[in-house]
Amino acid sequence: MSDPNLLTSDVEEALRAGVRELLADKADAATVLGRVESSTPSDLDLWRTLVDLGATSLPIPESLGGQGVSWREAAVVAEELGRAVAPVPFLGTMLATAALLTLSDDPHAQDALKRMASGESVVVLAIPLSGPVDGPLARTVRSVADAGVADQFLVPADGGLHLVEAASVQPVVSLDLTRPVWDVTFDDPGVRLTGSGESAVDSALLAGSALLAAEQVGIAEWCLTTTVAYLKQRYQFGRPVGSFQALKHRLADLWQSIVLARAAALNAADALATSNDDVRVAVAVAQSLCSTVAVRAAEECVQLHGGIGMTWEHPAHLYLKRAKADELALGTPGRHRAALASLVNLPG
Amino acid sequence: MTDVRGRVKAFLAERDPATTDRLDFLRARFDAGLAWVHFPEGLGGLGLPRAQQELVEAELAAAGAPDNDPRRIGIGLGMAAPTILAFGSDELKQRLLRPLWTGEEVWCQLFSEPGAGSDLAALGTRARRDGDDWLVTGQKVWTSSAHTARWAILVTRTDPDVPKHAGMTYFVCDMTDPGVEVRPLRQITGEAEFNEVFLTDVRIPDAHRLGEVGDGWRVAQTTLMNERVAIGGRSIPREGGMIGVVSDTWRANPDRRTPEAHDRLLKLWVEAEALRLAGIRLRQQLANGAPGPEGSAMKLAFARLAQELSGLELEITDDGLRYDDWTLRRPDMVDFTGRDAGYRYLRAKGNSIEGGTSEILRNIIAERVLGLPSEPRVDKDVAWKDLPK
């Protein structure tokens, strides 16, 4: 097996800079906080701009109106969206995109991909974000991410994947304010797409997990950077708090774990982009590690900000909620390690 | 512009590694400028970017060329050579670098002292001027290879009346001088990788001084920076190193498995794999000419992983209550895979101490990578002789 490419290209860095600039402009912390408390928690203006920038159609082939690049670029976008905890339906649509790409012989699937690439409609994969996803689906699917802005759903049922409009989409009170979940009910079987629903969902979970790992790196980095900046400026006992060794060591350890998490996330995105045989191991490793690191970074961020970290005004809580929700999404670290155990022959 | 690949091919055309004597081959390689291509011409290099070295190594390895055993002579290559290059006279460079690189002369470093480990600048080994020479007296510790070394890099105190960082001077020390006494330092594993070195009126010519008198701290920084840059040439395979040993032990001992140990093993497996990937990424950065500070993260992570893995291994191994051999040995290098689990457990304790403790490394990361302020210093403006010891 040759080494994966774990560097980011100039093109990827240019994409990152573009997305980051847009988010600095349209999704600063105060804006995000105001948005998630409103009746329309998803920012569809920002989503529209991201669509126009091409950021949402990166893995869709050019023949279907997409950018035709790879999941590596999509991972760069995911990381930046994580850094800003931007309330846009990126994860839900990427899950649908990955599922549809495996069924792209079907004209309905092609049509759906075209509409997604142009931003004409939002299609979301109807799976409970916190799984498990291997049972038979009920008529009501609980806790579907990004469902509130979806025009259509991809519903796994009877071994196939159905393109359906929902009968009802019920908002629930979500732990993660920036990626709320909804309960979705279906009564119309819709259009059954040609091909295996199971393998479509499997591909979606792999792609979604790799993107989630990138997002988690973005979250962790924001938490580290913000905490470091605060500890340089906050004085107690006549010294910047960041000069105390006990705190420096915690931040050094956090930085160290982010270095490993970043390598793992890049590897997962690269394995996905190159359709590598190793992709399952790469994704299980990345999800197991990056979930844990992002949660720890957010928890340290709250703790090391002291009282400020507990307030609603400070954005730390948005990151903690997103990080913890991401840890549960598409399989907890424990589930990914259980998958890994059989992949690398380490039985329990 | 030099075509390195062409140079290597031309060199190999003249000397078939299969029929040339090992030392002759290595000496010729040095003379051809293919030892370390980023060194100047005439000193084993071609004045090329460091990144090109990897290409040379790959070509030569493919041709079956002998290697110069960098693990055994790591201190010379990683620490002494760059310092000699930066601060040595032309005569010193000509005399020392070739046998250093070929491994004909082994090097050790005389830095740490019983009272100056992490706080290197606290050291008290005295060097006093005596005509054209210096006379050095003191004690050093944790010295790997001292018993096989021909030369040492040595940091001494030349002025106790100024603050500690200002009164140090750096030398090349001849280990065959009668004032040098090397004693094995038996360690936790039973063996003696390290030594204590007692220096009694060791006579060092002033021509063997590296850098100015009183500038030893800055010279030592060059040495230590280079120690941190040195990373291995090739990427390790998945389950390479300790994680592979422990995973195999797990596979071989179904009776000793518990759910708790299983979860620990999997967590460590994930981290070991991520550490391996971080290494690949760092090498790719290096080849791109833009290495980041990730090496420090890797050292921290490696030490912790090695300790946790070797602890777990003892629990899942067939009979962790036994030890393979307590006899005093003098190994050339650490033998992590040739010994039993108990040895690995004990030896891994050194991973968070040697080459800079994990605690000091965290300070360095916090200050140099994250930009956090340093702690207030009480030793900065006080003469060395007045500091509490």
Side-chain angles (χ1 to χ4, degrees):
Chain A
M1 195 186 307
S2 62
D3 281 347
N5 172 13
L6 301 182
L7 299 178
T8 44
S9 68
D10 291 346
V11 175
E12 286 162 348
E13 288 308 318
L15 173 66
R16 180 196 304 286
V19 173
R20 195 180 287 192
E21 196 182 338
L22 173 68
L23 293 171
D25 189 30
K26 303 227 173 191
D28 62 282
T31 306
V32 171
L33 192 55
R35 162 74 56 185
V36 297
E37 287 190 282
S38 76
S39 56
T40 52
S42 298
D43 188 341
L44 289 179
D45 286 342
L46 175 59
W47 180 248
R48 183 80 242 171
T49 315
L50 284 164
V51 170
D52 292 345
L53 201 74
T56 68
S57 63
L58 292 160
I60 300 177
E62 284 177 288
S63 60
L64 297 173
Q67 304 295 304
V69 278
S70 84
W71 290 105
R72 284 178 59 104
E73 286 79 3
V76 170
V77 175
E79 184 185 328
E80 293 309 312
L81 292 174
R83 198 187 303 275
V85 286
V88 291
F90 187 73
L91 183 64
T93 58
M94 285 300 116
L95 288 167
T97 301
L100 286 167
L101 284 172
T102 68
L103 306 174
S104 61
D105 290 341
D106 186 299
H108 295 290
Q110 291 175 7
D111 175 58
L113 285 167
K114 277 186 201 161
R115 283 185 286 115
M116 290 173 81
S118 69
E120 189 187 329
S121 61
V122 172
V123 181
V124 161
L125 181 64
I127 56 169
L129 187 61
S130 61
V133 292
D134 49 354
L137 271 183
R139 275 158 51 84
T140 296
V141 185
R142 276 169 61 89
S143 302
V144 180
D146 302 323
V149 295
D151 303 290
Q152 275 188 313
F153 291 87
L154 279 174
V155 186
D158 307 324
L161 212 53
H162 299 245
L163 198 57
V164 188
E165 284 178 25
S168 82
V169 178
Q170 289 297 323
V172 298
V173 180
S174 302
L175 172 67
D176 177 6
L177 295 153
T178 63
R179 182 181 283 138
V181 292
W182 285 266
D183 289 347
V184 191
T185 303
F186 305 100
D187 53 18
D188 173 7
V191 180
R192 184 184 170 116
L193 303 172
T194 324
S196 159
E198 267 170 41
S199 67
V201 170
D202 183 55
S203 298
L205 292 177
L206 274 178
S209 296
L211 296 183
L212 210 48
E215 174 174 312
Q216 286 158 337
V217 170
I219 293 170
E221 280 208 341
W222 183 92
C223 292
L224 175 65
T225 309
T226 304
T227 306
V228 165
Y230 179 71
L231 294 189
K232 280 197 232 182
Q233 132 230 307
R234 169 79 171 166
Y235 274 69
Q236 296 278 267
F237 308 103
R239 285 162 60 180
V241 172
S243 68
F244 287 93
Q245 193 178 49
L247 302 191
K248 287 158 91 171
H249 282 197
R250 281 165 68 166
L251 290 166
D253 280 337
L254 189 56
W255 173 78
Q256 174 253 197
S257 61
I258 293 175
V259 167
L260 298 197
R262 171 172 291 288
L266 283 165
N267 183 51
D270 190 64
L272 195 66
T274 55
S275 307
N276 194 313
D277 290 344
D278 195 41
V279 67
R280 282 172 203 284
V281 172
V283 163
V285 165
Q287 263 297 284
S288 165
L289 188 67
C290 298
S291 288
T292 309
V293 169
V295 170
R296 203 175 104 230
E299 290 176 348
E300 288 287 73
C301 180
V302 169
Q303 172 64 24
L304 298 181
H305 275 78
I308 297 284
M310 280 301 287
T311 64
W312 192 264
E313 288 88 338
H314 195 280
H317 68 96
L318 297 176
Y319 287 83
L320 177 66
K321 291 162 189 171
R322 172 70 77 88
K324 194 65 194 175
D326 276 6
E327 186 187 42
L328 311 179
L330 310 181
T332 58
R335 278 183 184 275
H336 285 287
R337 282 195 293 274
L340 189 66
S342 51
L343 289 168
V344 300
N345 183 29
L346 290 172
Chain B
M1 182 65 197
T2 320
D3 171 17
V4 182
R5 201 183 297 259
R7 285 245 191 178
V8 178
K9 288 208 185 305
F11 175 73
L12 284 168
E14 279 182 36
R15 270 172 207 81
D16 180 358
T19 55
T20 312
D21 170 75
R22 178 176 175 277
L23 262 184
D24 287 346
F25 187 93
L26 291 172
R27 287 175 185 152
R29 181 179 159 186
F30 184 95
D31 295 339
L34 297 170
W36 32 38
V37 295
H38 56 288
F39 271 48
E41 288 190 53
L43 295 174
L46 296 166
L48 293 171
R50 185 191 276 261
Q52 303 230 19
Q53 184 70 25
E54 207 160 328
L55 203 133
V56 173
E57 299 293 345
E59 290 280 331
L60 286 167
D67 80 25
N68 57 337
D69 203 354
R71 284 193 297 174
R72 196 174 57 84
I73 62 173
I75 292 166
L77 290 173
M79 303 177 80
T83 314
I84 294 164
L85 184 68
F87 294 98
S89 64
D90 287 344
E91 290 75 13
L92 269 187
K93 291 179 202 171
Q94 292 294 345
R95 163 64 186 86
L96 297 174
L97 288 175
R98 190 166 99 154
L100 181 160
W101 186 84
T102 58
E104 289 164 86
E105 290 179 350
V106 171
W107 283 71
C108 66
Q109 55 122 328
L110 298 171
F111 283 21
S112 291
E113 299 184 5
S118 294
D119 184 7
L120 173 62
L123 61 83
T125 291
R126 285 295 308 274
R128 278 174 302 260
R129 190 76 196 228
D130 182 39
D132 285 342
D133 297 337
W134 295 79
L135 287 176
V136 178
T137 297
Q139 182 191 346
K140 297 286 181 177
V141 75
W142 313 127
T143 318
S144 330
S145 306
H147 56 297
T148 51
R150 171 67 179 81
W151 298 102
I153 41 179
L154 164 71
V155 192
T156 65
R157 179 143 320 270
T158 41
D159 186 352
D161 297 322
V162 295
K164 62 183 185 180
H165 291 89
M168 299 160 68
T169 303
Y170 197 117
F171 296 98
V172 167
C173 173
D174 183 343
M175 292 295 283
T176 64
D177 188 281
V180 177
E181 188 200 346
V182 177
R183 294 185 203 160
L185 185 59
R186 196 172 187 195
Q187 69 214 55
I188 195 167
T189 54
E191 65 187 14
E193 279 170 64
F194 309 114
N195 302 277
E196 296 177 291
V197 180
F198 297 84
L199 307 166
T200 311
D201 285 338
V202 176
R203 188 165 286 277
I204 298 180
D206 189 54
H208 282 195
R209 175 164 47 79
L210 297 184
E212 299 304 312
V213 174
D215 205 22
W217 176 252
R218 190 168 68 92
V219 182
Q221 288 308 300
T222 304
T223 307
L224 295 171
M225 291 299 214
N226 278 288
E227 181 188 27
R228 296 201 177 104
V229 189
I231 58 162
R234 255 164 251 150
S235 56
I236 53 167
R238 177 173 289 163
E239 279 195 16
M242 190 96 83
I243 184 63
V245 175
V246 181
S247 295
D248 288 341
T249 302
W250 180 266
R251 290 173 187 125
N253 292 291
D255 297 349
R256 302 199 65 88
R257 294 176 194 161
T258 64
E260 184 268 347
H262 192 223
D263 203 47
R264 270 161 73 204
L265 172 64
L266 289 169
K267 280 180 181 157
L268 294 169
W269 198 96
V270 164
E271 287 183 51
E273 172 69 359
L275 178 61
R276 183 182 80 87
L277 292 166
I280 293 175
R281 183 165 143 80
L282 185 59
R283 261 184 298 275
Q284 290 176 348
Q285 289 177 341
L286 210 59
N288 242 15
E294 285 87 345
S296 317
M298 292 180 59
K299 181 175 186 298
L300 265 188
F302 171 79
R304 191 176 44 76
L305 271 172
Q307 291 171 355
E308 291 187 26
L309 277 167
S310 58
L312 175 62
E313 187 189 8
L314 267 182
E315 295 171 42
I316 61 171
T317 205
D318 191 34
D319 189 350
L321 289 174
R322 293 166 189 255
Y323 192 76
D324 59 2
D325 185 5
W326 290 117
T327 49
L328 175 63
R329 314 176 177 202
R330 312 236 47 205
D332 257 2
M333 56 194 183
V334 189
D335 186 7
F336 260 121
T337 48
R339 299 277 305 261
D340 280 358
Y343 172 85
R344 282 189 281 281
Y345 173 72
L346 296 171
R347 182 57 185 83
K349 295 290 166 261
N351 292 150
S352 53
I353 301 171
E354 61 203 350
T357 65
S358 291
E359 287 71 24
I360 295 296
L361 194 54
R362 287 186 182 97
N363 287 350
I364 292 170
I365 290 167
E367 290 172 20
R368 302 204 192 142
V369 181
L370 301 177
L372 288 165
S374 55
E375 297 219 42
R377 297 284 303 257
V378 295
D379 58 351
K380 258 197 166 149
D381 302 316
V382 184
W384 174 82
K385 67 178 167 49
D386 298 327
L387 288 170
K389 295 186 184 73

